[in-house]
Amino acid sequence: MSPPAPSHPEANPPSGDSPGGEESGPGASHTRSAGLVGLATLISRILGFVRDILIARSFGASLLADAFFVAFGIPSLFRRLFAEGALSSSFIPVYTQVRNRRGERAARRFAGAVVIALGAVLLALCALGIVYAEHFVTAIAPGFRGDPAKFAVASRLTRVMFPF
């Protein structure tokens, strides 16, 4: 048996690299996806900054601005805690595991069950947030209790924004 012939690096580029130096294969897909997520995040941050500028221009430093930011922050806090943080970090691995072990159909049923359960929980949470808006405002901005007008506006805006 004869030894294998030596190969030239130019003839067999390493996996994931094309001869022209461009990435190809699964690594390129992940890099492109990560770049798109990064770009979308950058655009979101810029638009959020523009939103804040428009709010500051519209409200100024006033009772309404203070009430708006507290009312806006309360549902945002719940969304970050329940939807964006815990759900996304737990759903994806479990969904992937169900899909790999039991197939696409079972994964879709699992996702549907999660959506229904999450919808029920969110409806209940919204109802509680609307009913107990004053308590949330007191917990997040206790100083508003000293200004009845500001407290009333913040509580009313919290009720309006909670479904967000």
Side-chain angles (χ1 to χ4, degrees):
M1 204 180 213
S2 64
S7 65
H8 293 94
E10 296 81 28
N12 297 326
S15 175
D17 291 337
S18 65
E22 298 173 19
E23 270 190 70
S24 64
S29 172
H30 292 296
T31 303
R32 188 172 24 255
S33 295
L36 286 173
V37 169
L39 179 64
T41 301
L42 176 65
I43 291 169
S44 173
R45 299 293 185 217
I46 291 169
L47 290 175
F49 181 64
V50 170
R51 177 200 62 213
D52 290 347
I53 290 170
L54 293 173
I55 290 169
R57 184 171 284 167
S58 299
F59 290 129
S62 67
L63 172 143
L64 285 176
D66 292 345
F68 174 82
F69 285 118
V70 167
F72 187 76
I74 292 171
S76 292
L77 173 67
F78 281 95
R79 186 186 75 238
R80 276 186 242 123
L81 288 174
F82 296 110
E84 293 173 0
L87 180 67
S88 62
S89 65
S90 62
F91 175 78
I92 300 298
V94 174
Y95 175 83
T96 303
Q97 185 178 32
V98 169
R99 185 174 169 204
N100 290 341
R101 289 186 180 171
R102 293 190 266 160
E104 184 69 31
R105 189 172 188 178
R108 286 180 192 235
R109 280 196 312 269
F110 169 72
V114 169
V115 167
I116 290 169
L118 182 61
V121 168
L122 288 176
L123 281 172
L125 189 60
C126 277
L128 290 171
I130 290 168
V131 170
Y132 295 105
E134 289 93 357
H135 298 288
F136 288 120
V137 171
T138 299
I140 300 296
F144 280 25
R145 277 287 191 186
D147 186 344
K150 188 185 284 190
F151 183 76
V153 171
S155 297
R156 189 172 340 154
L157 284 174
T158 298
R159 284 189 178 94
V160 169
M161 291 188 199
F162 222 92
F164 147 77

